[in-house]
Amino acid sequence: WDGVTAISGSSLLLAALDETSLDSIACQEFIQGGVIYEDRTLFQKVRKLHPASYYYYENGCLTKQDCYWSIDRLKPESLDGVEAVEAVKYAVQTTARKIGSLFSKPLCDLTGGYDSRTLVAGFLSVGIPVATAVAGSTESPDVRISSALANLAGLSHIHSDPEPIHSYEQIRNALALTDGEYDILEYARVLEIHKQAAEKFDATLNGSFGEVARGYWWEILVPHVGKRQKLDARRTARLRYLPRGFDSTLFPSGQRINLEEHYAAVIDRTNAGLENSPNTFQLDNIYLRLRMQRWQGRIASSTNQIWPCLSPFMFRSVLEAMLQTKHNLRRRSLLIRKLLPELDDRFSQYPL
């Protein structure tokens, strides 16, 4: 509308304000791959705000936009060895203290891998008490290892194995949080877990993006890991974004897009200006801006409507320390394997 800008945390609510058409590109991204990228939503006239930005409005119109953080301001490959380990350790512990000062009863995810155990170890290393949680069947390796780690550290531990979704009411409740932009049956189960946990604790913490410290996805760069050359967008799209099987006939022939070409173009736009940086840095950027902002961000923004949902690895200080560490130290989880004994040696010794 002229002279009016409507802003909301819900794309579904904005779409309901007036007649609007579905965005065919967003719908194909979501149906085929489960994620909607860039500023798209399911609706043509509803756009997402850009990341790390301030927006200024006057008389109902956007007058100015400022970016307060961008990855291109960092210095890739500038941290190494003991300095890098200490930088990440300091950032993790500072973040743990900050969260501990805000929430008296945080609940941490704890699974069988590196990221969540590093998260929990960070809190324990500065004396911040936490409880831990895991979801899944009793026989799953994640649940077994999680329980053993919690016992090892003497932590209060919650195991949940939610029942399948069985009512329309559960689906409708999940829709109100996801706007239809996430697998609604999967999130309905997530919703049940968080609703129960929120009755006893005051924040949920997870290890999302801890994998950036471990060179996640970098195997597709072999044998040129760390080279200062433009990322091969088509290869990256094919190996990491293109769904293995889909039926394009769901969409009218005139609206169908070539997904490989489309995702390659999205990757190139996202990495514009970084072409001369290490290819590992470029891959980190699309991992942050596409997968984590648009997939994990959708989960986090949904859960955040139930109760505070935080990923300490995405705090600026931790993120910057990880992103600026040399690629040789991040490969094969070496940075985390050096960091964990500094935080809590019990967690570094226990098998994955």
Side-chain angles (χ1 to χ4, degrees), residues 169-186:
E169 184 70 17
Q170 290 173 296
I171 293 173
R172 189 173 66 175
N173 290 340
L175 175 64
L177 302 184
T178 66
D179 290 335
E181 295 177 354
Y182 190 76
D183 181 331
I184 199 166
L185 290 174
E186 180 180 342

Side-chain angles (χ1 to χ4, degrees), residues 104-291:
S104 60
K105 294 186 293 183
L107 182 65
C108 289
D109 284 357
L110 181 58
T111 58
Y114 274 127
D115 304 326
S116 62
R117 71 172 67 191
T118 304
L119 166 70
V120 175
F123 281 91
L124 297 181
S125 70
V126 291
I128 303 294
V130 296
T132 54
V134 68
S137 68
T138 306
E139 295 76 25
S140 77
D142 257 353
V143 171
R144 287 190 285 103
I145 294 173
S146 171
S147 300
L149 286 170
N151 287 334
L152 191 67
L155 302 174
S156 174
H157 189 61
I158 299 173
H159 167 230
S160 57
D161 189 5
E163 295 289 328
I165 298 306
H166 56 77
S167 75
Y168 175 70
E169 184 70 17
Q170 290 173 296
I171 293 173
R172 189 173 66 175
N173 290 340
L175 175 64
L177 302 184
T178 66
D179 290 335
E181 295 177 354
Y182 190 76
D183 181 331
I184 199 166
L185 290 174
E186 180 180 342
Y187 194 80
R189 291 190 291 270
V190 173
L191 174 56
E192 292 300 316
I193 294 172
H194 283 287
K195 280 170 57 180
Q196 293 178 27
E199 294 176 359
K200 299 179 181 179
F201 301 93
D202 57 4
T204 175
L205 313 177
N206 63 76
S208 295
F209 212 70
E211 58 269 21
V212 76
R214 300 185 287 105
Y216 201 59
W217 285 4
W218 287 4
E219 67 276 6
I220 69 174
L221 301 175
V222 174
H224 305 295
V225 180
K227 298 292 184 182
R228 289 184 178 270
Q229 59 186 32
K230 184 179 181 296
L231 186 69
D232 186 335
R234 290 195 74 117
R235 173 178 165 81
T236 305
R238 189 168 58 253
L239 294 178
R240 286 296 174 266
Y241 289 89
L242 200 64
R244 298 203 177 273
F246 57 90
D247 184 359
S248 62
T249 62
L250 286 167
F251 299 91
S253 58
Q255 295 182 15
R256 293 175 201 162
I257 58 176
N258 180 307
L259 284 179
E260 183 175 328
E261 291 180 1
H262 171 68
Y263 288 140
V266 169
I267 289 169
D268 279 339
R269 286 193 293 271
T270 303
N271 273 341
L274 297 177
E275 294 85 356
N276 295 321
S277 62
N279 55 13
T280 47
F281 197 62
Q282 296 173 58
L283 197 54
D284 286 340
N285 183 54
I286 63 166
Y287 186 70
L288 172 63
R289 291 284 299 276
L290 299 179
R291 178 179 172 89

Side-chain angles (χ1 to χ4, degrees), residues 91 95 98-99 310-320 322:
T95 298
K98 184 179 295 185
I99 292 172
L310 298 172
S311 174
F313 289 111
M314 293 195 76
F315 276 48
R316 181 172 177 170
S317 58
V318 184
L319 188 60
E320 290 184 348
M322 296 188 299

